[in-house]
């Protein structure tokens, strides 16, 4: 090919012909080749210069001209294709071949070929195995197919399935369901947006308070409102202390490495005056918290188990119900294979006044959804049409354009005709939150903002672009007045049962502000009636006698925090995108409250490597992610995407889509798929492991003689760790006890020993020379197993080395002890079973265990030594 010209940019894949040869005995006007349309449909074709006599252009096709054809002669014609501001000129060469007489073949009986009609098969619940797929109304289904998600999307007929509904089976896993038939006399097909996934597993349904213990003032109750699975969810109230939490030591014995994606639902409520918290669910295995601290790539601190970090603009909004998700492969302690007892911790975080009420629900395994990416474009920038649209089209990708309708009247931006072309190609027509791209709160009143949004709604209706209706982007990502209203947080306040409150400082507090804190009435809300002095305010309601943190906030502004999103929901808005980068969101079981502040990632500010890492994370977790940008061009300004970078990112997405790992959908499709989704009922639990007879009964501590262990019975195992700080040698082994291990180094050491009790509530003997003694009582222990090497160090973390268990079938427990010469250590508080500090010798000791069965061990940190010598030891208890 000698030359090629692109005019206006974005020429698409180029012009090509269906074939490059023809027979020399062809008749004038007969078809030689069809031509592709680089711009999809509707382009205009013309000849550049004078056409050779052997060739001609007719209705976008190359036909034989009036001139004599010469066998073997190659003839070139230059064709121009144009559409709007774009055009391409390209030479095409055709060669005349010797005439042949083809052998006649029977004419086949024509059969109607169904074509994709834009119809969708809808699924119940989450579309997993066992859910019902329903064809569109008035569609007469003749056949159902399962279609592979990877290219070339091969299909296999589902034998015997012909009705209007179909129930997915295990044979359909990882396939898309397709219905073929007729509708209104035409042959059509309808595809499911869902891909058939395995049914999730229920790990914890939060339907009982049994087995839970609380800390940091947490109060537990069962709530029956808004339940995602089962009959209730766990409600935890913070009562004025930070990090309120509750722990359940045993939620089952299973192999966490087989659980895949873990998901759960957290609900911080929609009372914007009480926001300021976060929520976590943390699984406990081998005695340690198992928590995602960063993404699989290490590049993004996602707080993957945290529901509270994902909202913003301009102040973080820790509010509402949402689903969190992570893959067990991201946490080494969960990814290691083997059955073990698993525990659970729920924890409220956040800020003063530490009064949040969080509801925890439906801890699920095998819960990842269909990985999905949404591309959206703001502000009608012309290069979205000239560059982004053709680049995405050639890769089979589509997006959402958010329309500020006033800008469509400006010739420097995309015209209505351009938007119509993109819409007809399958793009969504969403709305900017205002008609002129001004910040929503700049309109001053909610009514004025609604009138502005209505202009976008009217424009969409007038131009017959209903797909995408109700999906908006918050202009500049902002949903409240900036700067936000006055807010005062005080670590202490004192009340006496009346409506008078004493505080350390009333600076910033004004009449009318809302008062928030534990036991401060919320229905109706409590407000400041008057500021009486520099340390006293009068409230609108009485508060019980207490000393607690308090939060004062001015909720009067028209656009205070969640007022705008809540109003948007009331007037029919389905989703509203913010501009906060926080990874993907699990939508498999519904959008919950995240629809009103869905997470948008700036495509133009995300480096290519980070973009790829995020996509890989979405695939790993089965989440949905949205990327947005403005213009797409060379030498792009700050909020635009560089064209070369844009192409690379689109190429990466295309490879994942073609491989069947990722779906590219529009918001209307995601909403159709997941907007009404929910958790299936009757879920199975993870496969249980071997049952262990071991249970922890209680513990006791003392300097050299702990008191008898509460609830200790005849036959229980008493396991003692006696530690000595300085002076004499290691503690003396008492009569009737069997030594497991002992060590003495750097003027300190320990004795680890045991006995099986011969009476209830046995007296613990004196451990001569000991300064700290810990005794654990276990029931159901058949024997002492393997013992770790003795760990020791001069400072830093007190770590028990990993050791090999005698039994790896999931029936043994691991127990860990450590002692330090400094009571500045945190051994006594960090240990999960017992701790003891001896102030007279400034020594410290702690005892932990695996909180259940294990199949192996890894290095375990009991705590830190406080900068002095420490000793640590571990032992296996066999069930």
């Amino acid at each position: 090919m000698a030359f090629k010209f692109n005019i206006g940019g974005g020429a698409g894949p180029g012009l090509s012909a269906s074939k490059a040869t023809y027979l020399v005995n062809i008749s004038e006007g007969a078809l030689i080749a069809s031509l592709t349309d680089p711009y999809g449909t509707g382009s205009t074709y013309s000849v550049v210069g004078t056409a050779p006599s052997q060739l001609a252009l007719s209705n976008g096709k190359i036909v034989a001209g009036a001139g004599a054809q010469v066998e073997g002669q190659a003839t070139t014609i230059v064709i121009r294709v144009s559409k709007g501001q774009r055009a391409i000129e390209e030479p095409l060469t055709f060669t005349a071949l010797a005439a042949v007489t083809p052998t006649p073949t029977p004419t086949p009986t024509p059969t109607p070929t169904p074509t994709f009609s834009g119809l969708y098969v809808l699924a119940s619940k989450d579309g997993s195995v066992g859910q019902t797929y329903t064809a569109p109304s008035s569609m007469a289904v003749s056949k159902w197919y399962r279609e592979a998600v990877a290219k070339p999307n091969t299909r296999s007929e589902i034998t015997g399935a012909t009705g209007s509904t179909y129930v997915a089976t295990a044979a359909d896993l990882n396939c898309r369901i397709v219905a073929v038939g007729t509708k209104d006399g035409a042959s059509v097909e309808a595809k499911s947006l869902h891909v058939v996934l395995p049914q999730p597993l229920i790990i914890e349904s939060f339907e009982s308070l049994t087995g839970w213990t609380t800390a940091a003032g947490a109060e537990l109750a069962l709530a029956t409102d808004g339940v995602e699975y089962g009959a209730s969810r766990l409600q935890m109230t913070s009562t004025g202390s930070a990090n309120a939490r509750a722990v359940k030591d045993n939620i089952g014995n299973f192999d966490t490495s087989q659980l895949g994606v873990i998901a759960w639902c957290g609900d911080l409520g929609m009372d914007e005056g009480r926001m300021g918290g976060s929520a976590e669910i943390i699984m406990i295995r081998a005695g340690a918290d198992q928590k995602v601290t960063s993404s699989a790539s290490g590049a993004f601190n996602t707080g993957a188990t945290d529901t509270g970090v994902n909202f913003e603009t301009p102040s973080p909004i820790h509010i509402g119900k949402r689903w969190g998700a992570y893959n067990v492969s991201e946490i080494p302690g969960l990814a290691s294979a083997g059955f073990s007892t698993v525990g659970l911790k729920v924890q409220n975080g956040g800020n003063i006044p530490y009064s949040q009420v969080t509801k925890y629900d439906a801890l699920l395994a095998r819960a990842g959804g269909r990985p999905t990416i949404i591309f959206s474009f703001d502000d009608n920038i012309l290069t979205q049409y000239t560059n982004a649209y053709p680049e995405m089209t050639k890769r089979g990708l589509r997006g959402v354009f958010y329309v500020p309708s006033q800008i469509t009247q400006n010739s420097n931006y995309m015209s209505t005709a351009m938007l119509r072309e993109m819409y007809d190609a399958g793009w969504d027509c969403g709305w900017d939150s205002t008609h002129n791209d001004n910040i929503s709160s700049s309109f001053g009143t909610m009514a004025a903002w609604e009138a502005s949004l209505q202009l976008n709604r009217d424009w969409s209706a007038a131009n017959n672009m209903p797909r995408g209706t109700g999906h908006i982007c918050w202009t500049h990502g902002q949903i409240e007045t900036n700067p936000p209203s006055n807010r005062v947080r005080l670590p202490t306040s004192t009340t006496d049962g009346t409506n008078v409150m004493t505080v350390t400082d009333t600076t910033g507090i004004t009449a009318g502000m809302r008062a928030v804190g534990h036991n401060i009435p919320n229905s109706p809300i409590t407000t400041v009636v008057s500021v009486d002095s520099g340390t006293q305010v009068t409230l609108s309601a009485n508060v019980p006698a207490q000393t607690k943190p308090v939060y004062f906030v001015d909720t009067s502004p028209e656009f205070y925090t969640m007022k705008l999103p809540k109003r948007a929901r009331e007037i029919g808005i389905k989703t509203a995108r913010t501009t906060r980068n926080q990874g993907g969101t699990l939508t498999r079981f519904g959008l919950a409250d995240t629809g009103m502040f869905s997470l948008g990632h700036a495509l133009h500010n995300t480096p290519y490597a980070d973009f790829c890492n995020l996509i890989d994370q979405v695939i790993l977790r089965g989440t949905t992610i949205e990327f947005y940008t403005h213009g797409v061009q060379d030498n792009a300004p700050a909020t635009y995407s560089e064209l070369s970078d844009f192409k690379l990112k689109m190429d990466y997405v295309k490879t994942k889509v073609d491989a069947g790992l990722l779906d590219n959908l529009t918001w209307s499709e995601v909403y159709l798929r997941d907007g009404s989704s929910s958790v299936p009922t009757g879920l199975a639990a993870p496969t249980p492991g071997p049952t262990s007879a071991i249970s922890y009964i209680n513990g006791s501590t003392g300097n050299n003689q702990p008191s008898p262990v509460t609830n200790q019975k005849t036959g229980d195992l008493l396991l003692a760790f006696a530690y000595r700080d300085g002076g004499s040698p290691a503690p003396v082994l008492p009569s009737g006890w069997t030594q497991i291990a002992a060590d003495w180094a750097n003027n300190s050491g320990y004795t680890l020993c045991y006995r099986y009790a011969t009476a209830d509530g046995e007296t613990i003997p004196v451990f001569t020379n000991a300064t700290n003694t810990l005794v654990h009582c276990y029931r159901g222990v058949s024997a002492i197993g393997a013992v770790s090497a003795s760990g020791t160090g001069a400072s830093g973390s007190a770590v028990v080395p990993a050791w090999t268990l005698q039994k790896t079938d999931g029936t043994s427990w691991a127990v860990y002890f450590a002692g330090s010469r400094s009571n500045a250590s945190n051994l006594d508080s960090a240990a999960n079973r017992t701790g003891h500090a001896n102030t007279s010798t400034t020594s410290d000791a702690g005892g932990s265990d695996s909180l259940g069965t294990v199949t192996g061990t890894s290095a375990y940190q009991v705590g830190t030594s406080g900068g002095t010598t420490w000793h640590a030891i571990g032992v296996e208890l066999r069930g």
Side-chain angles (χ1 to χ4, degrees):
M1 187 176 294
F3 60 93
K4 172 180 177 178
F5 296 107
N6 282 329
I7 300 171
L15 176 63
S16 62
S18 60
K19 60 181 183 176
T21 60
Y22 61 97
L23 299 180
V24 71
N25 62 343
I26 192 169
S27 301
E28 179 183 354
L31 176 66
I32 292 178
S34 299
L35 301 179
T36 59
D37 188 336
Y39 307 114
T41 60
S43 296
T44 300
Y45 298 81
S46 60
V47 176
V48 178
T50 302
S53 62
Q54 292 83 3
L55 303 175
L57 177 68
S58 176
N59 296 321
K61 300 177 178 64
I62 301 298
V63 299
Q69 305 290 348
V70 179
E71 182 179 331
Q73 177 176 303
T75 306
T76 298
I77 185 172
V78 180
I79 301 298
R80 175 186 175 91
V81 186
S82 60
K83 185 173 185 180
Q85 300 181 32
R86 298 173 293 169
I88 186 171
E89 295 178 4
E90 199 159 319
L92 302 174
T93 301
F94 302 89
T95 302
L97 303 179
V100 295
T101 304
T103 303
T105 56
T107 303
T109 303
T111 57
T113 302
T115 57
F116 182 65
S117 61
L119 300 173
Y120 297 106
V121 170
L122 301 181
S124 61
K125 300 291 184 179
D126 64 340
S128 60
V129 171
Q131 297 307 313
T132 299
Y133 284 74
T134 302
S137 60
S138 304
M139 178 178 174
V141 177
S142 58
K143 293 181 180 180
W144 289 88
Y145 293 86
R146 57 180 66 96
E147 180 181 274
V149 292
K151 299 293 185 185
N153 307 117
T154 56
R155 293 180 180 177
S156 58
E157 184 179 346
I158 303 173
T159 305
T162 58
S164 61
T165 61
Y166 171 72
V167 177
T169 70
D172 305 313
L173 277 172
N174 301 314
C175 292
R176 208 178 297 278
I177 302 301
V178 182
V180 171
T182 58
K183 181 176 172 63
D184 300 327
S187 296
V188 296
E189 67 177 34
K191 286 188 179 184
S192 66
L193 292 164
H194 284 90
V195 170
V196 180
L197 300 171
Q199 196 174 71
L201 303 174
I202 182 69
I203 301 174
E204 172 64 39
S205 60
F206 301 101
E207 295 180 275
S208 171
L209 298 180
T210 302
W212 289 95
T213 58
T214 61
E219 294 180 348
L220 299 183
L222 295 180
T224 57
D225 63 314
V227 176
E228 297 292 331
Y229 184 86
S232 65
R233 50 185 180 162
L234 183 69
Q235 175 177 297
M236 184 164 71
T237 301
S238 298
T239 60
S241 298
N243 300 317
R245 57 195 180 274
V247 172
K248 188 174 183 178
D249 286 341
N250 188 345
I251 59 171
N253 182 338
F254 42 84
D255 185 351
T256 57
S257 70
Q258 301 301 305
L259 299 183
V261 173
I262 304 294
W264 63 284
C265 187
D267 187 354
L268 283 77
M270 288 296 287
D271 180 355
E272 64 271 9
R274 293 176 61 82
M275 73 174 191
S278 61
E280 291 182 296
I281 284 186
I282 304 168
M283 297 179 73
I284 303 171
R285 192 184 190 205
D289 290 358
Q290 307 295 338
K291 180 180 177 182
V292 174
T293 56
S294 65
S295 73
S297 67
F300 296 88
N301 292 322
T302 61
T305 56
D306 188 341
T307 64
V309 300
N310 290 293
F311 320 120
E312 67 145 9
T313 64
S315 58
I317 299 175
H318 301 238
I319 199 166
K321 177 194 282 191
R322 76 178 296 271
W323 284 91
Y326 62 93
N327 194 298
V328 295
S329 65
E330 299 176 80
I331 306 177
L334 296 180
S336 59
F339 288 98
S340 60
T341 300
V342 178
L344 192 64
K345 176 192 290 184
V346 296
Q347 181 168 295
N348 290 353
N351 301 319
I352 289 172
Y354 309 119
S355 64
Q356 75 181 74
V357 178
T358 306
K359 296 172 183 177
Y360 297 88
D361 196 3
L363 179 63
L364 305 173
R366 215 165 59 186
R370 179 63 181 164
T372 302
I373 187 168
I374 302 167
F375 289 110
S376 60
F377 298 83
D378 298 0
D379 302 347
N380 280 18
I381 306 300
L382 183 60
T383 54
Q384 295 171 18
Y385 175 77
T386 58
N387 290 336
Y389 170 51
E391 290 297 338
M392 292 178 68
T393 298
K394 72 170 68 172
R395 294 168 176 83
L397 305 176
R398 296 170 296 126
V400 180
F401 51 84
Y402 290 116
V403 176
S405 56
Q406 178 174 294
I407 294 179
T408 62
Q409 303 165 29
N410 188 321
S411 61
N412 294 322
Y413 295 86
M414 286 192 290
S415 66
T416 299
M418 294 173 183
L419 295 170
R420 161 59 61 187
E421 180 184 340
M422 296 165 71
Y423 182 88
D424 289 344
W427 288 50
D428 269 4
C429 175
W431 308 328
D432 195 298
S433 65
T434 64
H435 78 289
N436 57 4
D437 198 38
N438 288 346
I439 294 173
S440 302
S441 59
S442 69
F443 286 84
T445 67
M446 201 70 70
W449 166 75
E450 286 183 43
S452 175
L453 180 67
Q454 184 64 42
L455 293 175
N456 292 339
R457 191 192 301 265
D458 293 344
W459 181 94
S460 179
N463 289 281
N464 193 28
M465 298 188 200
R467 191 179 58 249
T469 292
H471 300 283
I472 71 173
C473 68
W474 294 117
T475 307
H476 297 259
Q478 191 169 319
I479 60 174
E480 66 175 323
T481 306
N482 191 8
S485 57
N486 293 334
R487 302 170 189 193
V488 178
R489 300 181 189 273
L490 299 175
T492 59
S493 69
T494 302
T495 50
D496 59 3
T498 69
N499 64 339
V500 175
M501 175 179 286
T502 301
V503 297
T504 54
D505 186 0
T506 59
T507 300
I509 303 172
T510 58
M513 294 179 76
R514 181 176 175 182
V516 182
H518 183 60
N519 284 333
I520 296 177
N522 286 298
S523 183
I525 64 172
T526 299
T527 59
V528 176
V529 175
S530 62
V531 179
D532 305 324
S533 70
T535 59
Q536 181 177 296
V537 297
T538 298
L539 304 178
S540 62
N542 294 339
V543 179
Q546 62 180 22
T547 298
K548 297 283 185 181
V550 66
Y551 172 46
F552 295 96
V553 57
D554 180 8
T555 62
S556 64
E558 185 86 352
F559 292 91
Y560 171 74
T561 56
M562 291 303 294
K563 287 183 178 179
L564 182 59
K566 289 166 77 170
R567 180 56 183 160
R569 175 178 286 173
E570 292 169 357
I571 62 174
I573 298 303
K574 300 169 184 174
T575 63
R577 194 209 69 215
T578 68
T579 56
R580 189 173 181 89
N581 302 333
Q582 286 289 347
T585 301
L586 184 72
T587 61
R588 174 177 176 176
F589 307 111
L591 302 181
D593 291 321
T594 55
M596 289 301 98
F597 27 80
S598 61
L599 310 179
H601 297 69
L603 187 67
H604 43 276
N605 286 340
T606 306
Y608 176 72
D610 291 349
F611 175 83
C612 296
N613 287 335
L614 274 172
I615 298 304
D616 292 346
Q617 185 187 84
V618 164
I619 293 170
L620 182 69
R621 295 179 179 176
T623 53
T624 296
I625 193 167
E626 180 175 5
F627 282 93
Y628 73 94
T629 193
H630 301 86
V632 179
Q633 65 182 63
D634 294 324
N635 301 315
T639 61
Y640 285 32
S641 289
E642 193 70 32
L643 179 57
S644 59
D645 182 66
F646 183 82
K647 291 178 181 179
L648 284 175
K649 291 171 179 174
M650 297 305 106
D651 284 341
Y652 191 77
V653 170
K654 183 180 186 302
T655 63
K656 300 301 181 181
V657 171
D658 288 352
L661 301 174
L662 181 69
D663 282 349
N664 164 230
L665 301 179
T666 63
W667 256 120
S668 65
E669 290 172 324
V670 171
Y671 197 81
L672 192 62
R673 184 188 69 185
D674 297 333
S676 300
S677 294
S678 59
V679 181
T681 58
L683 300 181
T687 302
T691 301
S692 173
I694 299 175
S695 60
Y696 175 79
I697 303 303
N698 220 316
S700 183
T701 67
N703 290 349
N704 63 3
Q705 186 181 24
S707 58
V709 178
T710 303
N711 296 325
Q712 176 258 305
K713 301 295 182 183
T714 300
D716 288 348
L717 175 79
L718 295 170
L719 183 64
F721 175 78
Y723 177 73
R724 171 68 184 185
D725 169 22
S728 300
V732 176
L733 181 72
S735 175
W737 290 69
T738 300
Q739 181 169 293
I740 299 172
D743 192 23
W744 183 264
N746 299 320
N747 212 30
S748 61
Y750 66 87
T751 294
L752 178 65
C753 55
Y754 75 95
R755 70 175 268 116
Y756 285 96
T758 58
D760 292 352
E762 281 195 0
T763 299
I764 306 300
V766 173
F767 285 80
T768 304
N769 298 331
T771 57
N772 306 75
T773 306
L774 313 175
V775 176
H776 290 188
C777 177
Y778 295 92
R779 191 165 295 160
V781 179
S782 65
I784 297 295
V787 183
S788 77
S790 183
T792 188
S795 63
S797 300
V799 176
V800 177
W803 76 101
T804 302
L805 303 179
Q806 291 179 359
K807 294 181 70 66
T808 58
D809 60 356
T811 59
S812 291
W813 285 43
V815 186
Y816 318 92
F817 293 103
S820 168
R821 298 198 64 193
S822 170
N823 63 11
S825 79
N826 71 342
L827 295 179
D828 58 306
S829 60
N832 64 32
R833 290 299 191 189
T834 58
H836 179 263
N838 187 330
T839 56
S840 62
T841 67
T842 67
S843 56
D844 204 3
S848 296
D849 65 32
S850 57
L851 302 176
T853 57
V854 293
T855 56
T857 69
S858 56
Y860 183 88
Q861 179 178 320
V862 182
T864 54
S865 69
T868 57
T869 301
W870 57 268
H871 294 266
I873 186 72
V875 61
E876 173 189 4
L877 306 184
R878 289 172 45 176

